[in-house]
Amino acid sequence: MNGMHGIIFSYEMRNDLRELGEIRSASSIPFGGRYRAVDFALSNLVNAGVTDVGVVLHGRYQSLLDHLGTGKDWDLSRKRGGLKILPPFAYKQSWGEAAAFRGKMEALAGVRSYLAEIRRDYVVLMDGDLVVNLPISDIYEQHIKSGADITVVCGNDSFETENGTYFEMDHSTGRITDVLYNLHRPRGYRGLEVYILSTELLLSLVDECASRDQYSLRRDVLQARKDSLKLQGYIWSGFAAQIRSVQEYYDRSMQLLDPAIRADLFCAERPIRAKATDKSSAYIGPDGYCENSLIGDGCNIEGTVENSILFPGVVVEAGAVVRNCVLFKETAVRRGATLSYLIADKNVEVLEGRTLMGHSSYPIVLAKGSRV
Amino acid sequence: MKKECIAMLLAGGQGSRLYVLTGDMAKPAVPFGGKYRIIDFPLSNCTNSGIDTVGVLTQYRPLELNSYIGSGVPWDLDGSTGGVHILPPYMGSKGGTWYKGTANAIYQNIGFIDLYDPEYVVVLSGDHIYKMDYSDMVERHKAAGAACTISVMEVPWADAPRFGIMNVDGEDMITEFEEKPKEPKSNLASMGIYVFTWQVLRKYLEADEADPHSENDFGKNVIPAMLRDGQRMAAYRFSGYWKDVGTLESLWDANMDMLSPESGLDLLDESWPIYARSVNAPPAFLGKHSQMSHSAFNRGSIIEGAVENSVLSPNVTVGEGARVAYSVLFPGVTVEPGAVVEYAILGEGCRIGKNCRVGGTPETTAPAPWGLAVLAPGCTLEDERQVRPGVMLGKNGEEVSR
């Protein structure tokens, strides 16, 4: 049976997410006033006709498990195939310090028996913390046409990412000529950690790496085998955010206030699906004021909101002012409080009259459930 | 699989008093309160009341309703031993008929009900906005040892002649039923919600069917027949928010009520959630020049203009310099820059061209007769068009009389 199988990697503690990463993996971080980061990878795959997706867990995955459920919201709850959650303990029998894998190849070796059951000829590897709307069918088509062993999807913007992988490319052939990371000053294209390769090749690479205790996809496969394998680049010029630090999270969130970015990320041909919620409509009161903001379901705005992103159920009481903020689900901003350049995790309450000001270069983060 | 109680939801009516809004869909499928459809209320009430088996009787234009209900997942009604079932009229070996009336619709589905062999059947209609615990009503039914329990609410005496009125004794047992009495003896109006002891109802449905003169209607035939026979009929008093949204005006009123929890219709209260099939769209975006006040809005919407005292469904666009006031906008409506919409109901997917004027306030319309402006789903108005208050337009922009 032809087609693609999806594998999504979910990493614990991606570098610098501070309080946001303490309770969840980057894959389940809320993004864009309604979504979790992993919704993007899942939707990208489903929109390309992928029906089988494995999610490889790492650590702090309770929030992700809770979000994924049976996969019904992405039509991935199926009789055959569908969503499979692959816990990190599968690959080694021992608990303890060895519980988390060191890299993607080791993670894949851990789920070798799952890989052996793949029904499709090709596999798409993606990261759960990549916020993007890729035309995976087109990338697949290019992969087949170019005769590549591995197609490497690269971003094309000025953003850098923490601990990113960079690729240099021969523009006449599209072939990847060098694979770089840990660069002091990045050069080449920023890799989005999205790869397409044949299931057969993936299995043989997993086995070869395992036999040499090699665990890193970028070092042991891409870098080490860049000459023996045909690595072909696919350049994506649209929005593509890798959420690995608070700063990156904040900057990328604020970009969504630009209609052109939203048109790209939420394009109608490839809808991003999210978990259904049961909140009522959002409401703005007689004296409420709101401009240049994204507002989720069930928000109740009696105060002022500017340049902000409000997730469902946020309450902004009369006289409160919220500017340049990202407020997660059920945040309550009480009367007369003033917030700016701040990210509030779920269920935060900012009491009457409090003032909290961050800066665009260092947004304040309020941990889940905190009361200020 | 035996169930103690199942619900039958009458959703086959056309809702002709909603005119163009129900041209292509049954009344229960009409949008309400931004993100809902009318049928979300009885379906959610069932789930919240612990009723997991619901038959939905459809007849008029069922396409929209069928696809909306789907497998019943949004209301948790997709269980393996019950769930929601769509029940259209069907052919049998001796032919078949349309549902001739409310009682006949249930009669034709005796087979469905018998599958669950229930003690009690709750009969609901699909055109009311309210939150009610049916299990409490069933408790009242059991405690009273009744064959039938009818929920009633007190209405202002002046309005009583417009309703079916129940006269009760000291124990709230119904002694008399009067349809639209000129001189009402009580102000307890029937809400069209019934609990029946199934084996009793079953007999009356068969008798009713055998009577060639019957209109096969609960209110006109079955309830009076049960009263005549001296069956125990209990009233169940309900005091929360309840509104029949069978007319354009009442539909508009109920939407406005939703904006003010003081009206009693509090949709933000999560102790009794109303579920809906959710639309896939990003959060609503309020632009740099948007001015919204006392309004509800939903995902997928892009608001650049002014909106006040209005209810906006998902995927609504209001352009810069446009103004929407005291209006109800169904899903996918576009109001282009500079247009003004006042006191209007705009059907799904309407497009209001630049600088159009739709409807008006009662004050500015006087002394000419005033009313809501209503546009059929899919109606497109070319730029600069004027639609006077009280005017109704069909799908192709033609005027339709009420």
Side-chain angles (χ1 to χ4, degrees), chain A residues 217-228:
Chain A
L217 174 69
R218 66 181 178 187
R219 186 189 68 204
D220 303 320
V221 174
L222 300 175
Q223 203 173 48
R225 294 170 165 85
K226 72 178 163 50
D227 299 319
S228 58

Side-chain angles (χ1 to χ4, degrees), chain A residues 32-35 72 256-257 259 262 266 271-298 300-301 307 310 330, chain B residues 33-36 73-74 78 258-260 267-268 270 273-276 278-299 302 304 311-312:
Chain A
R34 153 145 208 245
Y35 307 91
K72 190 145 79 177
L256 294 184
L257 298 179
R262 285 201 310 278
F266 302 119
I272 303 299
R273 305 167 188 224
K275 206 165 162 170
T277 52
D278 294 310
K279 294 260 181 241
S280 184
S281 313
Y283 171 77
I284 292 197
D287 302 316
Y289 178 78
C290 180
E291 65 162 56
N292 197 36
S293 296
L294 282 167
I295 309 292
D297 294 354
N300 197 340
I301 301 173
N307 311 324
L310 272 50
E330 317 276 358
Chain B
K35 75 172 282 193
Y36 307 98
V73 172
D78 60 335
M258 177 222 153
L259 292 175
S260 311
L267 296 176
L268 296 174
E270 288 181 7
I274 300 300
Y275 303 105
S278 85
V279 173
N280 205 357
F285 179 71
L286 276 58
K288 287 208 172 72
H289 306 290
S290 74
Q291 282 180 297
M292 279 194 106
S293 75
H294 194 51
S295 295
F297 56 102
N298 276 279
R299 54 176 71 159
I302 298 175
E304 303 279 359
V311 175
L312 275 48

Side-chain angles (χ1 to χ4, degrees), chain A residues 39-77:
Chain A
D39 292 343
F40 294 87
L42 285 169
S43 301
N44 285 194
L45 291 168
V46 168
N47 288 334
V50 175
T51 58
D52 299 352
V53 178
V55 178
V56 183
L57 301 178
H58 195 231
R60 303 189 197 224
Y61 51 72
Q62 194 198 319
S63 131
L64 183 63
L65 283 184
D66 191 36
H67 178 68
L68 294 173
T70 60
K72 190 145 79 177
D73 291 298
W74 302 271
D75 287 342
L76 288 173
S77 173

Side-chain angles (χ1 to χ4, degrees), chain B residues 143-216:
Chain B
C148 169
T149 300
I150 301 175
S151 68
V152 295
M153 65 187 297
E154 288 183 28
V155 294
W157 281 93
D159 294 344
R162 296 196 292 117
F163 289 93
I165 293 296
M166 302 289 166
N167 301 326
V168 297
D169 65 16
E171 285 170 343
D172 269 354
M173 298 304 285
I174 297 165
T175 53
E176 197 183 359
F177 169 67
E178 293 179 289
E179 186 67 36
K180 300 191 175 129
K182 284 205 182 69
E183 288 171 17
K185 294 183 208 120
S186 121
N187 65 339
L188 292 178
S190 165
M191 297 160 62
I193 299 162
Y194 310 101
V195 175
F196 291 99
T197 299
W198 172 233
Q199 288 309 327
V200 179
L201 175 63
R202 205 176 184 285
K203 276 194 299 200
Y204 276 91
L205 289 177
E206 279 167 352
D208 179 65
E209 189 63 17
D211 176 3
H213 303 295
S214 173
E215 291 178 54
N216 308 116

Side-chain angles (χ1 to χ4, degrees), chain A residues 15-50:
Chain A
N15 309 322
D16 204 13
L17 283 169
R18 287 161 39 197
E19 291 88 339
L20 301 177
E22 276 171 16
I23 49 157
R24 55 171 82 85
S25 63
S27 305
S28 59
I29 201 164
F31 190 83
R34 153 145 208 245
Y35 307 91
R36 301 284 188 144
V38 75
D39 292 343
F40 294 87
L42 285 169
S43 301
N44 285 194
L45 291 168
V46 168
N47 288 334
V50 175

Side-chain angles (χ1 to χ4, degrees), chain A residues 119 163 189 256 309:
Chain A
R119 299 185 282 160
N163 191 20
Y189 292 99
L256 294 184
I309 297 175

